Amino acid sequence: MSAAMMSARQSRPPSAILRNRIVLRSILSSAAAVSAFNSVSYYRIHHVHDSVHRQRNSICSPNQVLVIKPNHVPATRPSSSIQNSHINEATTSTSTSSPLSTSDIHHMKLAAQLARIGSGNTFPNPAVGCVLVRHHDDSPSSIIIGSGFHPKAGMPHAEVFALWEACGHVHDGVDAARSVMGKTLSPLSTKVLDLLQAYNRENGPSELFRDSLSNSNVTAYVTLEPCCHVGRTPPCAASLAAAGVHRVVVGFRDPNPRVDGGGIEVLKRAGIDVRVMRRERSESVGEEEAAAAGECAQLVEYFVKRITSQHGLSSNMYDDVTGKKRMMLRAIALRQKTAGNMPSVEWIPERNFSMDDNKDDIDLLREIHIDSRFLEAVDQSLWNHELVLLRLNNIVNKKKGAKILGERVAEILCAHVAQVLGHTALLYRPAEPPVLDLDELIRKESSV
């Protein structure tokens, strides 16, 4: 990092950098905080009855239609609980018993705010944020030297954007991540893609980060346990270790079987002090830490459900969906439509298919890219309601087209197409715990 950049950072309060990015440039509604920067748009939600447009921070309630527009990034829905909540509490053996400091909790909350920028845009990956902080041994002050978030699947994870900034490869890790959220190329996004290519090389992490931070007391605050497996990008745990980070504070342990504590072990074997936040209050866990840990857990609520689903999300789970059960699902949907509380998600594609002669091109519909924001919204709605209506009139003219797209979405989300009617497809997927007991409903209807 240049002397000018370091001087500029030191002349400001410890959290000034992220405060400028998050607080001043974020758009806050009176109902809820919308995790978007000024250039990142938001959900449009149409109320079924009065078509009032509102800007909100929640997944659609039963009487709303969620409209997904291109380059519009949804925010995470607050939740009162997380599936398999024992996972994060099961990490006692991986962390020390000393309580986290106020500074630790503050920086983790900043990382969570960053994660929300990408929330809804990262399917099938989770939304993650990261902040790198340099501590001074002879002073209580600290300096944020890098920050980032995961912008979308296939792009670097939050830790890498933060490391790129801390190691001087980009001026601002948050801006670098934002630059690749959409499909429009810019000088910054082009630079990010070049860095990604270098990072993905065999020795990429070592070439970019080796010992860059080893001479400083640096703590990484990551909302989700750093990965330890090679996916579309190298493992983040190894990158943090290569850079010479001294300490890592994890907001939530990753239940993904490919990680599940493995990232923590990689860091510990590299001699890094690792702390995992806990959501259960105790003598060593205060209210602030528990709240911050809960915030990190909420960010990955639906990711955790996908990863830890007890019945396993697969097409085989619908082998027992008989004709009677399909008829029951359709009857339930009809009642919900009549009552005006049918959960619905509308997809507005990146180009206007209503003005395109190819709207009826079946081959095109089989190949068209299905937007991750749309998939994320449908996935969340299925977990919440089990029965969701896909409104596809913006992309298909005929029932056959709706069937093709409905089946494609169902295959990706391991859902079942219960009905195709006009430009709509009705999807069903059991939630945990179940919302609909089809056998019991059929039994009651038969006994009437």
Side-chain angles (χ1 to χ4, degrees), residues 40-44 68-74 120-121 371 373:
V40 182
S41 302
Y42 52 88
Y43 270 140
R44 275 200 308 144
I68 307 302
K69 296 187 68 179
N71 299 324
H72 287 62
V73 184
N121 199 59
D371 190 88
R373 291 171 288 265

Side-chain angles (χ1 to χ4, degrees), residues 368-430:
I368 189 173
H369 172 70
I370 301 178
D371 190 88
S372 60
R373 291 171 288 265
F374 175 71
L375 292 171
E376 183 77 50
V378 176
D379 180 66
Q380 293 185 16
S381 196
L382 283 168
W383 283 119
N384 292 335
H385 308 295
E386 292 191 344
L387 204 56
V388 178
L389 190 69
L390 306 186
R391 298 188 180 274
L392 305 170
N393 52 293
N394 294 299
I395 198 168
V396 299
N397 272 329
K398 299 177 181 178
K399 179 178 178 179
K400 186 174 182 180
K403 183 176 185 294
I404 291 172
L405 283 183
E407 289 175 346
R408 286 187 60 198
V409 173
E411 181 179 6
I412 294 170
L413 300 180
C414 292
H416 176 73
V417 180
Q419 184 181 34
V420 176
L421 189 62
H423 302 135
T424 67
L426 182 67
L427 297 193
Y428 164 72
R429 189 182 68 194

Side-chain angles (χ1 to χ4, degrees), residues 168-190:
H169 298 296
V170 298
H171 175 69
D172 188 315
V174 173
D175 284 345
R178 290 174 60 222
S179 73
V180 291
M181 289 185 75
K183 292 187 176 181
T184 303
L185 285 178
S186 66
L188 181 55
S189 64
T190 300

